[in-house]
Amino acid sequence: MSEPEAAGDNVNNEENNPPESKTENKNEEEQPEPPKEMKAVVLAGFGGLKSVKVMNKPQPAVGEGEILIRVKACGLNFLDVMVRQGVIDSPPKTPFILGFECAGEVEGVGEGVTDVKVGDRVAALTEYKAWAELVSVPAKYVYSLPQGMEFQNAASMLMNYVVAYILVFDIGNIRSGQSVLVHSAGGGVGQAISQLCKTVSDVTLIGTASKHKHESIKDSFAHLLDHGVDYVQEIKKLSPEGVDIVLDCLYGDDANKGYNLLKPLGRYILYGSGNIVTGETKSFFSLAKSWWQVDKINPMKLFDENRSVSGFQLRHLLYQQGAHEYVRGVVNKVFKMWENGHIKPVVDSTWAFEDVPEAMQKLHDRKNVGKIILDPNMEPKPKPKLQTKGSKDKDKEKEKDGKAVGETAAGESTDAEKENKEGDSSAPSCKC
Amino acid sequence: MSEPEAAGDNVNNEENNPPESKTENKNEEEQPEPPKEMKAVVLAGFGGLKSVKVMNKPQPAVGEGEILIRVKACGLNFLDVMVRQGVIDSPPKTPFILGFECAGEVEGVGEGVTDVKVGDRVAALTEYKAWAELVSVPAKYVYSLPQGMEFQNAASMLMNYVVAYILVFDIGNIRSGQSVLVHSAGGGVGQAISQLCKTVSDVTLIGTASKHKHESIKDSFAHLLDHGVDYVQEIKKLSPEGVDIVLDCLYGDDANKGYNLLKPLGRYILYGSGNIVTGETKSFFSLAKSWWQVDKINPMKLFDENRSVSGFQLRHLLYQQGAHEYVRGVVNKVFKMWENGHIKPVVDSTWAFEDVPEAMQKLHDRKNVGKIILDPNMEPKPKPKLQTKGSKDKDKEKEKDGKAVGETAAGESTDAEKENKEGDSSAPSCKC
């Protein structure tokens, strides 16, 4: 799949709906047909929270084989934080619209699309562009919702449960009586893994998570360990033989520890719905990368020890390796499990587009339990009046430019301190 | 498990059966109770075919928790060839009795054994010592035969199908619609893999084998390729996306080729019921080892490419890693599949103990299709009269020593040339 179009390039002149006037300050240049606009969360440049802006952008056209979705709920993933920081491979050029998953109603279908019709309720795994009022997505990445599934449910489930399903069943090949170590147990994927593992009899779940999360996720795991303590020793006390599967999205030190905890025929699986740069690195990922370069695996060691090492990332699988039919099969299975009541997504909180920086910070600080959802129709939180006169004037200037409909005060002021902290963080972190 | 007792140390003075006089030349020293003896295939020293001798050895005692088996059929595996060459880790001291699998009747049970009784028909995966008229095996490695399963069937199936089952289902996690590349397709494990894969719908089997075997195994694989040609290009023509699972017992160059043939979420599995030395190497394994040392795997690459790499060897799993309960579960599943008619072992040929060198050479030269079986009660082939007078005299001297009951003429004369060829071989070879 090609790089996503830079936000703003994709102007829909053929749209029949009347343009929505979300802002009062449009560009009044002499255009025969001013593009219809929509609100979107745009990454203005790679970096901190300040780079995330809510702006008006041209509504997308519906190309051949595409489906135009009126977005009702979006999922926030750790992958989005990594994109913001620019620590993924082949990032698009800024500015572009963020977001990899959403759910909503079909507003239009392109030529050749037969499976869905206008008004259908769908969810999509998009390559960027999901965090907008409208998104046009190739039909191969769009999935019809089962009856009764709310948009928030769909946006909570899609990426997390697809990742978890592939990890637990297709790569992990979990079987009755086995044990699983899950890092970031309190994150969206961690919770999904727990629910999926519980559909298999007699599986022992061991999770690591920050101490403050233990109370709220204690029912999801048989054993919860503080990631900050020597969890290896704790696990060896619980199960001297080790565990059958290690699901690791933390990279770095945990990889060695996890590998060494494996039972015979055990599998260590490094995953992320996010990604780690393969070229130049920034921030804490440079640490992780250098670790991996030192600790390459000798297949003879796997042979001697009867072990497996796997890597998994959904983004490459779906957009670069073309496995959309496979992923559709997984989505169907996950939706069926939801219909049968076997899984139930946990929503941590729902946020307005304008509050994305705060939501991102929460994810980064591992303060969420379950999924963080964005709602394009939600009113932003009242902003604290901390802006200086100067910054207010700057905002006015931007408004004249006809694009900015509001930049998150939280991101610019109260979060500034947090943001610095984030930039300096050397601890690997993941809630993919 | 401790190292096997050196052959000859284990003298059973408590046996009630009258001693069997297999030889005329017993040691007549003044022993109050001469140990009862049995015929066994002994490795006198690591090396070529000449090191393999058929000798009389003391009958084993039945220790606590052990089962004494009157052996009716043994399996010959590539592992035995590697043991003979001394290219395994932690080999026992020579001389010792060879052999890792057998089937027969229970002749005695040690204290604490409750699952089987005298007269039961069983098979066993032993840590050496299987190629004898009698072997005493810890009960944890002994499996009751289903009704109607002949000893030859059992000896054909046990190791090959257990290895194949674990590869195909537990590590490979094969699913409908997937494709599998199997090297050494004509060997015992290759045939077992083919049969097991065929129990899953819509699996595409691609095998590599020497050209001369293609005719006899053409029904087992959808596509058969000559390992000597550029099979990678052939496979890319058949399936441009590659294959889902590569089962590789050839090590060396095939590993890189196999890895690069993997589809997204594909698994490369390096296996052997044999083993490769981890310390000092001999013969062609030194080549294989140096290759692996160069081509260690960066887990980041697995992550980028959505791939898995696994290693498997039954010997470590069973005797060093204590997974006997797991293996018993696999044996039960394999036996059940046999009872249901889903699998049917292919026997290549059956040999007398005295003809083991020739049988080993056949295995080494990849001339077998299916399993090579040894039968302790079988008469050896008539020996060609090629011995020099000198060598005959030597034999007489040995006979006086009261141990040797016959050394394989084939091993000493007609195979001498082959043996030299074998020692020089630089091509990795495996029919585990």
Side-chain angles (χ1 to χ4, degrees):
Chain A
M1 197 177 166
S2 60
E3 299 242 320
E5 292 144 11
D9 292 351
N10 193 0
V11 179
N12 177 8
N13 291 321
E14 292 148 27
E15 181 66 56
N16 292 320
N17 294 340
E20 290 179 24
S21 293
K22 291 273 167 185
T23 62
E24 303 300 319
N25 303 294
K26 287 203 179 158
N27 190 326
E28 298 294 335
E29 281 172 32
E30 286 305 309
Q31 284 183 325
E33 284 191 56
K36 289 157 200 160
E37 294 198 326
M38 63 171 186
K39 194 167 66 170
V41 182
V42 172
L43 188 68
F46 298 107
L49 296 169
K50 284 183 190 171
S51 312
V52 179
K53 316 267 188 198
V54 178
M55 300 175 103
N56 270 1
K57 285 289 167 188
Q59 291 186 5
V62 195
E64 190 182 334
E66 289 188 339
I67 295 169
L68 183 70
I69 302 169
R70 170 73 56 184
V71 177
K72 305 290 186 182
C74 313
L76 170 61
N77 296 291
F78 193 72
L79 173 57
D80 301 303
V81 178
M82 298 171 78
V83 167
R84 194 199 75 214
Q85 294 181 327
V87 291
I88 57 155
D89 58 332
S90 319
K93 281 183 193 156
T94 56
F96 61 90
I97 299 172
L98 288 164
F100 290 92
E101 73 181 325
C102 63
E105 270 179 26
V106 174
E107 185 140 321
V109 295
E111 207 179 326
V113 174
T114 53
D115 292 346
V116 300
K117 58 183 189 309
V118 171
D120 278 4
R121 303 165 68 257
V122 296
L125 290 168
T126 72
E127 195 178 17
Y128 306 100
K129 301 193 286 181
W131 295 354
E133 289 178 311
L134 286 163
V135 61
S136 191
V137 190
K140 60 188 172 185
Y141 305 133
V142 178
Y143 318 98
S144 293
L145 298 189
Q147 206 150 23
M149 183 183 280
E150 292 170 8
F151 295 122
Q152 287 219 353
N153 267 343
S156 305
M157 281 177 67
L158 199 53
M159 189 176 285
N160 286 354
Y161 281 77
V162 164
V163 166
Y165 187 98
I166 295 171
L167 290 173
V168 168
F169 294 113
D170 288 357
I171 304 178
N173 189 19
I174 198 169
R175 279 154 290 159
S176 178
Q178 293 194 322
S179 54
V180 186
L181 169 64
V182 183
H183 292 302
S184 286
V189 174
Q191 292 293 295
I193 289 168
S194 159
Q195 290 185 8
L196 291 175
C197 285
K198 286 183 177 178
T199 65
V200 180
S201 66
D202 191 25
V203 166
T204 303
L205 279 162
I206 304 173
T208 74
S210 316
K211 192 75 187 169
H212 68 267
K213 281 193 181 180
H214 286 202
E215 181 57 27
S216 46
I217 61 170
K218 66 182 191 307
D219 295 337
S220 306
F221 289 82
H223 308 284
L224 269 175
L225 305 172
D226 188 347
H227 188 260
V229 303
D230 184 355
Y231 65 83
V232 172
Q233 286 312 311
E234 294 294 318
I235 291 170
K236 284 189 174 164
K237 271 185 231 162
L238 293 169
S239 170
E241 291 174 353
V243 296
D244 293 290
I245 301 173
V246 173
L247 298 173
D248 184 8
C249 62
L250 296 176
Y251 323 118
D253 263 2
D254 294 281
N256 253 349
K257 289 181 186 171
Y259 180 87
N260 289 322
L261 276 170
L262 290 178
K263 283 185 189 176
L265 296 185
R267 303 165 184 270
Y268 168 82
I269 307 173
L270 171 65
Y271 76 96
S273 46
N275 191 4
I276 304 169
V277 280
T278 49
E280 282 179 49
T281 61
K282 295 182 188 177
S283 73
F284 55 81
F285 290 98
S286 54
L287 287 175
K289 191 172 176 253
S290 61
W291 182 89
W292 281 109
Q293 284 181 329
V294 173
D295 288 66
K296 284 181 190 168
I297 292 167
N298 186 337
M300 292 303 299
K301 190 173 154 73
L302 298 176
F303 179 75
D304 275 342
E305 295 173 350
N306 281 313
R307 285 170 173 173
S308 296
V309 174
S310 305
F312 174 61
Q313 59 164 314
L314 184 60
R315 194 169 69 92
H316 276 194
L317 187 73
L318 199 51
Y319 306 121
Q320 293 176 21
Q321 299 182 313
H324 48 89
E325 279 309 316
Y326 164 75
V327 172
R328 181 176 300 282
V330 175
V331 171
N332 289 341
K333 285 181 231 172
V334 164
F335 281 179
K336 184 61 83 182
M337 293 175 98
W338 177 86
E339 284 182 292
N340 294 338
H342 294 143
I343 55 177
K344 191 181 172 186
V346 177
V347 175
D348 174 81
S349 50
T350 306
W351 305 72
F353 275 0
E354 290 78 2
D355 296 326
V356 165
E358 200 177 333
M360 275 190 165
Q361 188 63 47
K362 184 173 188 185
L363 185 67
H364 181 276
D365 293 344
R366 307 184 181 201
K367 289 193 175 151
N368 63 309
V369 174
K371 188 81 173 190
I372 293 179
I373 295 291
L374 311 180
D375 180 348
N377 300 315
M378 193 173 179
E379 287 298 312
K381 288 184 185 178
K383 293 169 188 57
K385 300 291 179 192
L386 292 173
Q387 287 178 305
T388 62
K389 199 168 181 307
S391 72
K392 269 186 188 168
D393 291 344
K394 250 190 266 172
D395 279 354
K396 276 187 188 161
E397 270 182 288
K398 280 179 195 161
E399 281 165 14
K400 273 187 201 161
D401 191 40
K403 289 291 175 195
V405 290
E407 292 182 5
T408 315
E412 293 212 335
S413 51
T414 54
D415 275 354
E417 205 179 341
K418 284 184 186 169
E419 194 179 339
N420 285 337
K421 186 179 135 211
E422 181 184 349
D424 294 335
S425 171
S426 62
S429 166
C430 161
K431 316 253 174 33
C432 351
Chain B
M1 196 175 168
S2 61
E3 299 243 322
E5 293 144 10
D9 292 350
N10 194 359
V11 179
N12 177 5
N13 292 321
E14 291 150 28
E15 181 65 55
N16 290 323
N17 294 341
E20 289 177 24
S21 293
K22 290 271 168 188
T23 61
E24 304 302 319
N25 304 294
K26 287 206 180 156
N27 190 329
E28 298 295 335
E29 281 174 31
E30 286 306 306
Q31 285 183 325
E33 285 190 56
K36 289 157 201 159
E37 295 198 329
M38 62 171 185
K39 194 167 66 168
V41 181
V42 172
L43 188 68
F46 299 106
L49 295 169
K50 285 184 191 172
S51 312
V52 179
K53 316 265 188 198
V54 177
M55 301 175 101
N56 269 1
K57 285 288 166 185
Q59 291 187 4
V62 195
E64 190 182 334
E66 288 188 340
I67 295 169
L68 183 70
I69 302 170
R70 169 73 55 184
V71 176
K72 305 290 186 181
C74 314
L76 170 62
N77 296 290
F78 193 72
L79 173 57
D80 300 303
V81 178
M82 299 172 76
V83 167
R84 194 200 77 212
Q85 294 182 325
V87 291
I88 57 154
D89 57 333
S90 317
K93 280 182 194 159
T94 55
F96 60 89
I97 298 172
L98 288 163
F100 289 92
E101 71 181 327
C102 63
E105 270 180 24
V106 174
E107 184 141 323
V109 295
E111 205 179 328
V113 174
T114 53
D115 292 345
V116 300
K117 59 185 190 307
V118 172
D120 279 3
R121 302 165 66 258
V122 295
L125 290 167
T126 71
E127 195 177 16
Y128 306 98
K129 301 194 285 184
W131 294 354
E133 289 178 310
L134 286 163
V135 59
S136 189
V137 189
K140 60 188 172 185
Y141 305 133
V142 178
Y143 318 98
S144 293
L145 297 191
Q147 205 148 25
M149 183 182 279
E150 291 170 9
F151 295 123
Q152 287 219 354
N153 267 342
S156 305
M157 283 177 64
L158 198 55
M159 189 177 285
N160 286 353
Y161 281 77
V162 164
V163 166
Y165 187 98
I166 295 171
L167 291 173
V168 168
F169 294 114
D170 287 356
I171 304 178
N173 190 18
I174 200 170
R175 280 154 291 159
S176 179
Q178 294 194 322
S179 53
V180 186
L181 169 62
V182 183
H183 292 302
S184 286
V189 174
Q191 291 294 296
I193 288 168
S194 160
Q195 291 186 6
L196 292 174
C197 285
K198 286 182 176 180
T199 66
V200 180
S201 66
D202 192 24
V203 166
T204 303
L205 279 162
I206 304 172
T208 74
S210 315
K211 193 75 186 169
H212 68 268
K213 282 194 183 180
H214 287 203
E215 182 56 29
S216 46
I217 60 170
K218 66 180 192 303
D219 296 337
S220 306
F221 290 82
H223 308 285
L224 268 176
L225 305 172
D226 187 348
H227 189 261
V229 305
D230 185 356
Y231 65 83
V232 172
Q233 286 312 310
E234 294 294 317
I235 291 171
K236 283 188 175 164
K237 272 185 233 164
L238 292 169
S239 170
E241 292 173 351
V243 296
D244 294 290
I245 301 173
V246 173
L247 298 174
D248 184 7
C249 62
L250 295 175
Y251 324 118
D253 263 0
D254 293 280
N256 252 350
K257 290 181 186 170
Y259 180 86
N260 290 322
L261 276 170
L262 290 178
K263 282 186 188 174
L265 297 185
R267 303 166 185 271
Y268 168 83
I269 308 173
L270 170 65
Y271 75 95
S273 47
N275 192 7
I276 303 171
V277 279
T278 49
E280 281 178 51
T281 60
K282 295 184 191 175
S283 75
F284 56 81
F285 290 99
S286 54
L287 287 176
K289 189 171 178 250
S290 62
W291 182 90
W292 282 109
Q293 282 181 332
V294 173
D295 288 66
K296 285 180 188 170
I297 292 167
N298 187 337
M300 292 302 299
K301 189 173 157 74
L302 298 176
F303 179 73
D304 276 343
E305 296 173 350
N306 282 313
R307 286 171 172 171
S308 297
V309 173
S310 305
F312 173 62
Q313 60 165 314
L314 184 61
R315 194 170 68 94
H316 275 195
L317 187 73
L318 198 53
Y319 306 120
Q320 293 177 21
Q321 299 181 315
H324 49 89
E325 279 308 316
Y326 164 75
V327 172
R328 181 176 298 284
V330 175
V331 171
N332 289 341
K333 285 181 231 173
V334 164
F335 281 0
K336 185 60 85 181
M337 293 174 97
W338 178 86
E339 283 182 294
N340 294 337
H342 295 142
I343 54 177
K344 189 180 172 188
V346 177
V347 175
D348 174 80
S349 49
T350 306
W351 305 72
F353 275 179
E354 290 78 3
D355 296 325
V356 164
E358 199 178 333
M360 276 189 165
Q361 188 62 47
K362 184 173 190 185
L363 185 69
H364 181 275
D365 292 344
R366 306 184 182 201
K367 289 193 176 151
N368 63 309
V369 174
K371 188 80 175 191
I372 293 180
I373 295 289
L374 311 180
D375 179 348
N377 300 314
M378 194 172 177
E379 286 298 312
K381 289 185 186 178
K383 291 170 190 60
K385 300 291 180 195
L386 293 172
Q387 286 177 308
T388 62
K389 198 167 184 311
S391 72
K392 271 189 187 163
D393 291 343
K394 250 192 264 173
D395 278 355
K396 276 188 188 158
E397 269 182 292
K398 280 182 195 158
E399 279 165 13
K400 272 188 202 160
D401 191 43
K403 290 291 174 194
V405 288
E407 292 183 6
T408 315
E412 292 210 337
S413 52
T414 55
D415 275 353
E417 205 179 339
K418 283 184 188 170
E419 193 178 340
N420 284 337
K421 186 179 134 209
E422 181 183 349
D424 293 333
S425 171
S426 61
S429 168
C430 161
K431 313 251 176 31
C432 351

